[in-house]
Amino acid sequence: MSSDLRRERIRPRGSAGRLPEVLIRERARPERIRSHPAAWRLAVATVCFGAFMGQLDASVVTLIFPSLRAEFGVSLTAVTWVSLAYLLTLVALLLPAGRLSDARGRKLLYLYGFVVFTAASASCALAPTLAVLIAVRVVQAAGAALMQANSVALVATSAPPGRLRTALGVQATAQALGLALGPLVGGALVTTLGWRWIFALNVPVGVITVVAGHYLLPRTRHRHSAPGFDWPGPVLLAAATSCTLLALSALSRAPVFPWRTIALLMVAAGAVAAFIAWQRRTSHPLLGPELLRPRPVRFGLAGALCGYLVLFGPLVLVPLVLTAHGSDALEAGLVLTWLPGGFALGAALAERTLPRAWGERARCTCGAAMGTAALAALCALPLTPTVLPPFLALLGLGLGVFIPANNALVMAAIPPRCSGTGGGLVNMARGTGTALGVALVALALQLPGTAVWPQPPHRAVLVLLAAAVITLTTSRLSRPAPVTSR
């Protein structure tokens, strides 16, 4: 009997006597699948289902706001909580979900996450009131946190040595395709079948993925067990992330109630300080200081945050700028698809087109430099439907090269036993960068222009350019992590 199967039959301690074994044990893949040369590709493809649906769902929810207002008779502020409640819950739970998965099993909790996400999606489709919809979106986000915290970890632990960057590139391609197809698919569903089908679409995909994951995903080989769970840590982290995201949301509606934004930022800063102090004092921290000590992790997470800021900022900027100058929604949407299209192309083709001798650091530098050049050019050019497409494509191409290589740089520096926590950190950076991109671009568009400062659209581009320069700087400051055996 192989050591892989022997380890698989070991029962987890503690709760094994109270819960049925089938609910708490990761099942081994069938021997025929486990020993197949393409087993890692099948595992990555399974994770790509979740990556695709996650981005598809994120990019279409805002399309249903008018329908929700009409059906439930509520204000736009109330409707925005359908997105905001989801984002707050997701970002707050990513790190605790990753830490719990490192101890209990990443495949097990990934599949549980998909079950929760699928059941909550069905409930969203049947929600009778807006309050019920928002409540179920919180549950849906909890499932998504279990999925996203483990998606990068499952890819990282499935890929053989030397193929990590390729595997993460495939996952990034699936995310980009979901982002690109979201407005098209969502618009068609809302127009023809109604907003409830936006959520109903997740149900069959979720069922297929749970079945496929049961047979195709590998069980957890390296676990990070601890004598207890750091419950104060997630509470402090949730306070910090929630207040930060609420402050960013308030910034996007500036200058309304600026004192609330200041108060939220002060509470967030206090929660961050308390979280850091507690993590240094507790014997079983949620986020061990040793995880953030390597330079590739620290600078890689900063690069991930700024990279997603640059990716999502134009998704707000371009439609508002083009529609303000007379373009209709269809034309604005077609122009905008050049960005995720370039991202998908860069993530898919970087491994084949860039020199094989280049490591993650060189690829990060190349991708960040392409994105910086595209935004620098847009600072000096008119933002019109004829000018934007090639530069948005170049920006997306650069980000498609940068983000998979940067994620590989971070995950290579994370011990395999902490892959879930590392994946949670990467996705926390992604979620925060997404919110920051939306808030800063919205703020730049609302502030009036002056004779010294550029007009609002180009000021927003300058904000994105500054973030792109930070990504370029982080790629130069990171050193490649030593290769770890997986």
Side-chain angles (χ1 to χ4, degrees), residues 278-417:
W278 173 254
Q279 294 303 290
R280 290 176 176 174
R281 191 175 64 184
T282 183
S283 58
H284 41 273
L286 177 67
L287 178 60
E290 69 279 0
L291 288 183
L292 298 178
R293 193 169 293 125
R295 288 167 61 93
V297 175
R298 297 198 309 270
F299 289 109
L301 291 174
L305 185 149
C306 291
Y308 278 97
L309 189 160
V310 173
L311 177 61
F312 278 84
L315 299 182
V316 178
L317 174 64
V318 172
L320 291 176
V321 169
L322 293 185
T323 53
H325 286 81
S327 299
D328 58 21
L330 177 60
E331 183 179 22
L334 291 175
V335 171
L336 192 58
T337 56
W338 285 81
L339 176 61
F343 185 95
L345 191 64
L349 299 182
E351 191 68 20
R352 297 182 180 181
T353 55
L354 294 178
R356 292 187 176 274
W358 284 16
E360 272 77 296
R361 186 184 181 192
R363 291 166 186 265
C364 286
T365 302
C366 175
M370 292 167 63
T372 302
L375 289 169
L378 288 177
C379 286
L381 295 171
L383 306 181
T384 63
T386 55
V387 171
L388 281 170
F391 293 101
L392 288 176
L394 179 62
L395 176 60
L397 194 67
L399 291 171
V401 174
F402 172 82
I403 288 176
N406 184 70
N407 290 350
L409 197 68
V410 174
M411 294 305 295
I414 297 288
R417 62 187 177 87

Side-chain angles (χ1 to χ4, degrees), residues 121-205:
S121 295
S123 299
C124 287
L126 301 173
T129 65
L130 182 65
V132 171
L133 177 60
I134 293 172
V136 180
R137 283 280 285 173
V138 171
V139 179
Q140 189 185 35
L146 289 172
M147 292 160 49
Q148 291 190 22
N150 289 291
S151 60
V152 176
L154 285 169
V155 170
T157 55
S158 298
R163 305 306 295 270
L164 175 59
R165 186 176 57 235
T166 301
L168 289 172
V170 172
Q171 185 198 23
T173 302
Q175 291 176 332
L177 290 175
L179 189 65
L181 293 177
L184 178 62
V185 174
L189 286 175
V190 172
T191 303
T192 57
L193 300 176
W195 66 267
R196 296 180 184 275
W197 284 89
I198 294 291
F199 300 107
L201 182 65
N202 294 331
V203 176
V205 177

Side-chain angles (χ1 to χ4, degrees), residues 40-56:
W40 73 273
R41 291 188 175 88
L42 294 173
V44 172
T46 303
V47 175
C48 284
F49 274 103
F52 175 83
M53 290 306 300
Q55 291 303 313
L56 186 76

Side-chain angles (χ1 to χ4, degrees), residues 258-287:
W259 60 269
R260 291 187 180 179
T261 304
I262 296 172
L264 287 168
L265 289 176
M266 291 177 64
V267 174
V272 169
F275 176 77
I276 294 173
W278 173 254
Q279 294 303 290
R280 290 176 176 174
R281 191 175 64 184
T282 183
S283 58
H284 41 273
L286 177 67
L287 178 60

Side-chain angles (χ1 to χ4, degrees), residues 10-86:
I10 297 176
R11 292 188 178 187
R13 295 180 180 179
S15 57
R18 296 189 299 270
L19 293 174
E21 187 177 359
V22 69
L23 297 179
I24 59 175
R25 190 181 67 144
E26 289 184 329
R27 305 281 299 182
R29 292 173 292 180
E31 177 63 23
R32 184 170 59 180
I33 294 176
R34 191 184 66 82
S35 60
H36 196 279
W40 73 273
R41 291 188 175 88
L42 294 173
V44 172
T46 303
V47 175
C48 284
F49 274 103
F52 175 83
M53 290 306 300
Q55 291 303 313
L56 186 76
D57 185 76
S59 61
V60 302
V61 168
T62 55
L63 295 176
I64 70 174
F65 284 0
S67 300
L68 294 178
R69 293 186 65 187
E71 179 165 339
F72 296 126
V74 294
S75 66
L76 179 60
T77 301
V79 167
T80 57
W81 277 94
V82 173
S83 289
L84 191 57
Y86 181 92

